[in-house]
Amino acid sequence: MSHPLDYRPKILVVDDEAANLQVLKQILQEDYRLFFAKDGIKAIELAISEKPNLILLDVMMPGMTGHETCKKLRNDSSTSRIPVIFVTAMAEEEDEADGFEAGAVDYITKPVSPAIVKARVRTHLSLVRNEELKETRLQIIQRLGLAAEYKDNETGLHVIRMSHYSETLAKALGHSEDTAEKILHASPMHDIGKIGIPDSILQKPGKLDPEEWEIMKTHPTIGAEIIGDHDSILLQMAKSIALHHHEKWDGTGYPNGIKGDAIPIEARIVTIADVFDALTTERPYKKAWSIEDAVNHIRKGAGSHFDPGLVPVFLNLMPELLEIRERWAET
């Protein structure tokens, strides 16, 4: 059967015995695109050029062994994430331990059972797909965040800086690595609602009149509607940040005028990071503030605009924040 647009997963099969390659070909060829290598050097070349989704790797090969091949694959950033299953007659416990230490995710013993081969391959490819889905979702979130920046007078570097500031503050407050990473990835969506604001308002060089300002103040609600309701914790956090990042500690913010601890912590974190970057960056309508002036503004805003518990922690992080600012500086 021909596959003009062949989206079947790619599997690299490595074995120095032609008969073993033939057996695995018969088992897998209907469901997968197969590539074959008879030694470790060729296997590494094909792994780099073809980017297979999975590698089935013999252990006992002349020259470079399967374990050595696997270690080289793990040490190359372009192949390090491709899962490797060893296919081997070696079944001693210490051999398995060596294999897992080399970076394998599983073992299949020879002579192979077609049912076991298919099941193990299916299982590990499903794990790969789950990881790809997570990465794809993250990339879409980042692209949408960038779309909002194109619409506004800001650059993509703004969302990179403020998201790293937010992650740094989250860690300093004692949040887990996982939570801090979610804030890093969710915060670039904070202004996605600006997609729904007319250009005449967004790009107005002067001050907005009261009617225009009321329209501008709808962008957090629009952002929350764009992101929507999801099971994904990352998207739930992105919605929370989009909706609440203009709320103020004293209740004078928008769109809902909530105050204090009623404002979600992730939004309170992003609020400080967003304001600091906005103040210290030149925009078409203003010059960049000095670091000293921006720090004084944030210090004065503690208890009114900003969570007073977060401000001193943020200001103590200034050396790290300035490193981030330098790394992602406007050119």
Side-chain angles (χ1 to χ4, degrees):
M1 180 180 176
S2 64
H3 292 262
L5 285 173
D6 197 341
Y7 293 113
R8 293 176 301 167
K10 295 194 279 191
I11 298 176
L12 171 59
V13 184
V14 188
D15 199 303
D16 62 307
E17 294 286 342
N20 292 333
L21 295 177
Q22 190 61 34
V23 169
L24 289 167
K25 180 181 178 182
Q26 291 301 322
I27 295 170
L28 298 169
Q29 64 183 348
E30 283 300 311
D31 300 311
Y32 306 103
R33 284 177 287 169
L34 303 179
F35 301 86
F36 301 97
K38 287 191 172 185
D39 58 67
I41 293 171
K42 182 65 175 174
I44 291 167
E45 287 177 7
L46 281 171
I48 292 169
S49 64
E50 297 298 336
K51 298 290 187 295
N53 303 98
L54 184 68
I55 298 173
L56 300 180
L57 181 58
D58 184 27
V59 174
M60 297 299 292
M61 296 187 294
M64 192 187 299
T65 68
H67 290 163
E68 291 167 343
T69 304
C70 191
K71 284 177 184 173
K72 286 185 180 294
L73 290 167
R74 285 286 155 273
N75 290 331
D76 187 322
S77 60
S78 68
T79 57
S80 61
R81 299 180 67 182
I82 304 170
V84 174
I85 299 177
F86 280 131
V87 184
T88 178
M90 301 164 66
E92 297 295 329
E93 277 189 28
E94 59 267 26
D95 295 327
E96 290 191 7
D98 288 344
F100 288 126
E101 194 176 318
V105 297
D106 208 345
Y107 261 88
I108 298 173
T109 54
K110 297 176 183 176
V112 299
S113 153
I116 289 175
V117 170
K118 287 181 178 180
R120 298 279 174 83
V121 165
R122 213 163 32 238
T123 296
H124 288 288
L125 285 176
S126 72
L127 294 174
V128 170
R129 276 195 294 273
N130 285 340
E131 194 61 33
E132 286 174 348
L133 282 171
K134 277 173 62 181
E135 287 188 13
T136 302
R137 183 171 61 203
L138 178 56
Q139 287 167 4
I140 290 169
I141 288 171
Q142 291 169 337
R143 295 292 100 189
L144 279 170
L146 188 57
E149 304 310 319
Y150 272 106
K151 175 84 167 160
D152 202 355
N153 281 317
E154 296 172 358
T155 73
L157 293 172
H158 164 66
V159 294
I160 292 173
R161 286 191 301 268
M162 60 80 64
S163 63
H164 281 284
Y165 296 156
S166 299
E167 179 192 35
T168 304
L169 178 55
K171 286 179 180 175
L173 292 168
H175 291 284
S176 69
E177 289 278 340
D178 182 61
T179 298
E181 186 177 312
K182 282 187 170 65
I183 290 174
L184 169 72
H185 294 318
S187 53
M189 291 275 278
H190 69 294
D191 271 342
I192 189 64
K194 286 183 177 178
I195 287 174
I197 303 299
D199 290 350
S200 59
I201 293 175
L202 264 188
Q203 297 171 6
K204 185 176 178 178
K207 195 174 180 182
L208 299 181
D209 65 35
E211 188 179 333
E212 289 169 333
W213 181 238
E214 287 306 311
I215 294 170
M216 175 64 95
K217 282 161 63 175
T218 64
H219 83 265
T221 308
I222 294 170
E225 288 171 357
I226 288 172
I227 297 168
D229 296 316
H230 302 274
D231 294 333
S232 160
I233 293 172
L234 181 61
L235 287 172
Q236 289 171 17
M237 186 181 285
K239 180 180 179 181
S240 171
I241 290 169
L243 183 60
H244 299 301
H245 72 285
H246 282 297
E247 300 290 358
K248 294 184 178 180
W249 183 257
D250 63 5
T252 62
Y254 63 90
N256 298 314
I258 58 175
K259 64 181 181 179
D261 289 332
I263 305 166
I265 183 63
E266 60 270 16
R268 284 180 266 149
I269 287 170
V270 168
T271 296
I272 297 180
D274 189 32
V275 169
F276 177 73
D277 192 69
L279 292 176
T280 56
T281 306
E282 185 173 348
R283 300 281 171 80
Y285 52 86
K286 73 166 192 68
K287 295 288 185 185
W289 288 26
S290 70
I291 300 299
E292 185 181 359
D293 287 345
V295 164
N296 287 335
H297 177 84
I298 289 173
R299 188 179 285 120
K300 286 176 186 173
S304 54
H305 191 164
F306 310 112
D307 179 341
L310 268 55
V311 168
V313 180
F314 184 80
L315 297 182
N316 284 339
L317 292 168
M318 200 51 59
E320 290 174 63
L321 303 178
L322 294 180
E323 280 182 22
I324 292 167
R325 185 170 178 268
E326 184 65 28
R327 193 182 327 148
W328 303 103
E330 303 286 339
T331 53

